Amino acid sequence: MSEAVHDAVKIGIVSISDRASSGVYEDKGLPALQDWLTRALHNPITFEPRLIPDEQAGISATLIELVDAGCSLVLTTGGTGPALRDVTPEATLAVAHKEMPGFGEQMRQISLKFVPTAILSRQVAVIRGSSLIINLPGQPKAIAETLEGLKDADGKQIVPGIFAAVPYCIDLIGGPYLETRDEVCKAFRPKNAVRAKTA
């Protein structure tokens, strides 16, 4: 049997932090994003990593740059709280062609199972051209929780993570066909959108 051929995908990962970008402490966001995506997807991935400060114009410019470079998916981490320097949602909305509010709503629902301060998070998701841009929380543990959702002790899904909806969203905007590893995060597609497996 020949190996199934998976679409190649280019993914932008952006860690937004004044202190990490200036070298005050080590950035943990980019490694967390890269590790999770590598575990979750069968597709060969080219990562476009960026570590930038909390500057609204710079964040918007980086998102546009990554979309123009052909990233079908751009994930950001950091800068989504209520603090004065937290401007990631504003910078993301500024480059949006369409807003996708369900992603932020679901992330807050998942995080509320862990901490009451999840209501302070302001993550948004948008579409720009044929790219999906999603703001994720800043902590590596919270990144995995929101992407994967909540599972019980036996690994059965209790609350779906947001990534379950990402592959079909990217189908709908004309991107590559993302194939997830079910043990990490099972993507959901309507039956008529599921690509036949090649032997």
Side-chain angles (χ1 to χ4, degrees), residues 34 53-54 77 88 103 111 123 149 152 178 190-191:
Q34 191 160 335
D54 293 282
T77 175
T88 301
F103 285 101
S111 296
Q123 293 103 316
D152 65 17
L178 299 186
K191 284 193 175 64

Side-chain angles (χ1 to χ4, degrees), residues 21-160:
S21 64
S22 63
V24 174
Y25 61 71
E26 183 189 359
D27 171 63
K28 293 190 166 60
L30 294 176
L33 289 170
Q34 191 160 335
D35 171 69
W36 192 88
L37 289 161
T38 303
R39 286 190 297 110
L41 289 172
H42 286 288
N43 304 67
I45 307 168
T46 301
F47 288 105
E48 288 285 343
R50 301 287 187 275
L51 176 57
I52 58 174
D54 293 282
E55 298 289 351
Q56 186 170 336
I59 299 166
S60 291
T62 299
L63 297 177
I64 292 170
E65 175 208 338
L66 292 169
V67 169
D68 290 350
C71 293
S72 306
L73 176 65
V74 179
L75 299 179
T76 74
T77 175
T80 57
L84 293 178
R85 295 288 294 168
D86 289 339
V87 292
T88 301
E90 287 74 20
T92 303
L93 292 169
V95 305
H97 294 148
K98 292 179 180 171
E99 289 183 45
M100 301 295 290
F103 285 101
E105 292 162 7
Q106 182 66 0
M107 280 189 270
R108 284 180 281 278
Q109 284 302 311
I110 292 167
S111 296
L112 273 168
K113 307 277 188 211
F114 299 98
V115 287
T117 49
I119 57 173
L120 304 180
S121 69
R122 303 185 303 116
Q123 293 103 316
V124 300
V126 304
I127 289 166
R128 179 180 175 85
S130 54
S131 301
L132 174 62
I133 304 170
I134 307 174
N135 301 156
L136 295 170
Q139 298 301 318
K141 181 173 177 285
I143 289 171
E145 287 164 356
T146 52
L147 290 170
E148 280 182 43
L150 306 176
K151 295 174 180 167
D152 65 17
D154 300 323
K156 186 173 183 296
Q157 196 87 48
I158 304 167
V159 179

